[in-house]
Amino acid sequence: AIIVEPRWDLDIEHTISHYLRMLPSEVPIYWYSDFLNENFTVTQIQSADLVEAYQTGRFRSCTMRTHEGARLALGKELYNEMRLEPSFWRSMPAPRVLFFERDSILCSGALPLSHFLDADYDYLGAPWDPRQAWCAKLRSPTSCCCNSGLSLVNTPRMGVVLQRMTAEPIADDNRWSKKYNDMYLLLKHEQNESAGLRLPNREQAQLFAVETYWDGHAVPFGLHKPWRANFFADASAPAPNIGNMSKLTLLGQMCPEIKLLCSSARASSTSDDPELGPPSKIFMKQFC
């Protein structure tokens, strides 16, 4: 499992500790950062379980560099660009990698990680609600998948697929998507299905991760920004067979770990993005 994050703080410690507890013990966790953390040592860790994991090698810190070995300053835009490079995937430490971000968590009572490994998709993440603006650009908005914030990737296959995709230029009206690796993959997949990217349908994807789409029937493996766009708290999205209960309430009952996202929701509440700022405040009022 890998988290790519330029900052080290208590929130990132808590996130990594959570994943250490929730994932099978044989799954190591890598923290990928930049030159600002190249002298990172165990003395900077405050959590006892994380100190132990660092000493046993289950938790490892890695400094990212350019192809030429030069230092780099890691930011969201650069990270998105890197994920669109075949060489990035060839550098991964394992053929299957679970990527997670600080605003994601795993749910107890869900299907195990092995279930999704056996499914053998190239890329698996949370599906988006068809009402999301970028989903409308697709021939089939209900096929809008998958978010990269919590994602499982077949790294050798992703390198091959991206190599095939880059051979054909992206349509002019979709050039904006290169700032968002997950949306770029989706649009390029629809433009060039012969590249062979194996994606789940939304029913399969929602079993793995939930962000803006969930039918309310099964506990997802994990969550990523479940406050986005307020789709689950909206009265027009009631939970199935639960009267007027919102899906957000039901999601909290089925995945009690949702409360671990309060720090991320608090940070999101200051965003100018209408899909993040106001909805995160509703999330905080309910769970924090």
Side-chain angles (χ1 to χ4, degrees):
I2 291 177
I3 181 167
V4 179
E5 170 64 53
R7 305 192 313 276
W8 182 262
D9 53 34
L10 271 179
D11 284 342
I12 198 88
E13 280 204 30
H14 294 156
T15 300
I16 294 173
S17 292
H18 166 72
Y19 276 80
L20 284 170
R21 292 192 302 271
M22 299 293 284
L23 290 172
S25 59
E26 65 270 18
V27 177
I29 294 180
Y30 294 74
W31 169 45
Y32 277 38
S33 188
D34 61 17
F35 76 96
L36 294 176
N37 296 289
E38 62 185 357
N39 296 318
F40 180 83
T41 68
V42 69
T43 59
Q44 294 171 249
I45 304 175
Q46 298 187 36
S47 307
D49 58 339
L50 204 50
V51 169
E52 181 181 359
Y54 190 86
Q55 292 172 335
T56 61
R58 189 180 173 207
F59 168 56
R60 311 168 193 183
S61 63
C62 303
T63 302
M64 303 180 76
R65 294 183 177 274
T66 65
H67 298 313
E68 296 76 24
R71 288 177 167 186
L72 57 79
L74 190 61
K76 191 169 184 63
E77 187 170 340
L78 176 60
Y79 176 46
N80 272 284
E81 291 176 2
M82 294 174 72
R83 283 186 64 124
L84 297 179
E85 292 291 332
S87 59
F88 174 78
W89 300 104
R90 290 194 290 266
S91 73
M92 290 294 101
R96 304 295 287 278
V97 173
L98 177 71
F99 285 87
F100 64 98
E101 297 178 359
R102 64 166 67 220
D103 50 9
S104 68
I105 53 99
L106 300 182
C107 302
S108 54
L111 290 168
L113 178 62
S114 58
H115 171 86
F116 302 103
L117 291 171
D118 291 342
D120 200 30
Y121 297 112
D122 294 335
Y123 177 54
L124 181 59
W128 288 295
D129 189 286
R131 290 174 289 174
Q132 297 267 195
W134 55 85
C135 297
K137 295 179 176 291
L138 302 174
R139 290 192 298 268
S140 174
T142 58
S143 300
C144 204
C145 184
C146 308
N147 183 270
S148 62
L150 177 60
S151 53
L152 183 63
V153 184
N154 182 320
T155 56
R157 282 279 306 165
M158 185 60 74
V160 171
V161 166
L162 280 171
Q163 194 74 53
R164 294 171 180 166
M165 285 181 170
T166 53
E168 183 179 343
I170 194 165
D172 288 343
D173 59 346
N174 288 332
R175 288 188 182 279
W176 60 272
S177 68
K178 294 203 74 171
K179 294 182 180 180
Y180 310 95
N181 70 88
D182 39 22
M183 299 176 206
Y184 173 87
L185 275 175
L186 181 56
L187 291 167
K188 287 286 283 189
H189 169 63
E190 188 168 83
Q191 177 183 327
N192 185 9
E193 293 184 3
S194 62
L197 181 64
R198 297 175 298 196
L199 295 175
N201 61 39
R202 67 175 181 175
E203 283 68 34
Q204 296 161 335
Q206 68 171 335
L207 292 173
F208 175 75
V210 164
E211 184 177 87
T212 61
Y213 177 81
W214 181 54
D215 64 15
H217 291 292
V219 179
F221 181 70
L223 308 177
H224 177 250
K225 283 193 183 81
W227 54 81
R228 179 184 284 277
N230 205 28
F231 285 147
F232 297 148
D234 195 320
S236 65
N241 306 316
I242 313 289
N244 293 323
M245 180 190 295
S246 73
K247 282 188 180 178
L248 187 62
T249 300
L250 180 62
L251 191 60
Q253 291 182 1
M254 296 179 73
C255 180
E257 290 83 1
I258 198 171
K259 294 182 179 180
L260 298 176
L261 291 172
C262 283
S263 180
S264 293
R266 191 170 296 110
S268 181
S269 67
T270 61
S271 173
D272 293 331
D273 187 336
E275 286 198 354
L276 297 176
S280 61
K281 294 175 182 177
I282 295 173
F283 177 95
M284 289 171 59
K285 184 176 181 180
Q286 182 159 349
F287 295 114
C288 309

